[in-house]
Amino acid sequence: MKTVNTLLCLLCVSVPVLASDDAAVQPPEPYCKWEMVNYSIPEPLCGLKGDAANGQKVMLDSARGNCLACHQLPVDGVEAYGTIAPPLAGIANRLSEAQLRLRVVDTRHLNPNSIMPGFYRDPSLINRPAVKYAGRTFLSAQNVEDVIAYLETLK
Ligand code: HEC
């Protein structure tokens, strides 16, 4: 009987552990406000430092950046499935880091009709009907900084 109780108890404990593993039920991370200066964002989001290798992964991942839906990237063996946006090869020669940040964060400050998603737009301005996404930006601040770090390598 003692063994059965122990087993039951283990099961009881495992339920909340499993639930907390599900990213969808985690509260959203706090949103860091950013400031636009001369059509750019000079300060890294939340003061974070980006990781270029992870930035490339985020951009290629259709569940995260999904940049290939619209942009070609200079990555061997990778084909964009949409070409309605400018190719990003050499982008760091054309735009500064601060200019790149505004384009990824919320490019509608440059072109109100842009079809490019604002990946770190103020979540209070985004209508997200699914409760699990309410209050969330499309990418985390860290992932945006990772993407910027990768774009900076495209020279
Ligand atoms: C739904 C299509 C779409 C997606 C997805 C998209 N973009 Fe864009 N992007 C555009 C368009 C269109 C432009 C051209 C400017 C405009 O219309 O706003 C653009 C412009 C840009 C520019 C400026 C390019 C230049 O030559 O001036 C950068 C940088 C950029 N996007 C990065 C990204 C990154 C990084 C991602 C993924 C995290 C991404 N985009 C996802 C459509 C998209």
Side-chain angles (χ1 to χ4, degrees):
M1 194 58 195
K2 195 162 182 252
T3 323
V4 173
N5 273 340
T6 313
L7 273 176
L8 282 176
C9 200
L10 279 176
L11 287 175
C12 293
V13 170
S14 75
V15 172
V17 169
L18 279 177
S20 70
D21 272 357
D22 182 353
V25 298
Q26 299 283 334
E29 62 174 31
Y31 171 67
C32 296
K33 281 208 184 308
W34 42 268
E35 198 187 342
M36 183 170 81
V37 181
N38 287 335
Y39 294 99
S40 71
I41 304 176
E43 297 297 328
L45 300 179
C46 320
L48 293 166
K49 188 171 166 29
D51 173 83
N54 194 52
Q56 191 197 68
K57 286 190 198 137
V58 171
M59 288 181 66
L60 300 184
D61 183 349
S62 60
R64 293 191 289 171
N66 198 23
C67 315
L68 293 175
C70 305
H71 292 278
Q72 284 166 284
L73 281 177
V75 181
D76 282 347
V78 168
E79 284 281 333
Y81 32 93
T83 51
I84 53 172
L88 294 178
I91 189 69
N93 297 323
R94 302 198 290 277
L95 296 172
S96 70
E97 180 191 319
Q99 289 172 323
L100 287 169
R101 190 172 287 107
L102 179 65
R103 275 143 182 93
V104 177
V105 162
D106 194 356
T107 200
R108 279 182 225 171
H109 288 275
L110 293 156
N111 171 8
N113 296 322
S114 180
I115 56 158
M116 177 165 152
F119 288 94
Y120 202 79
R121 199 163 194 236
D122 182 340
S124 68
L125 302 176
I126 312 175
N127 177 16
R128 308 209 73 180
V131 173
K132 65 180 181 178
Y133 295 123
R136 287 169 199 275
T137 52
F138 292 164
L139 286 180
S140 67
Q142 181 64 63
N143 281 348
V144 170
E145 289 306 322
D146 294 348
V147 165
I148 304 297
Y150 174 64
L151 291 173
E152 276 288 291
T153 70
L154 300 181
K155 292 192 168 153

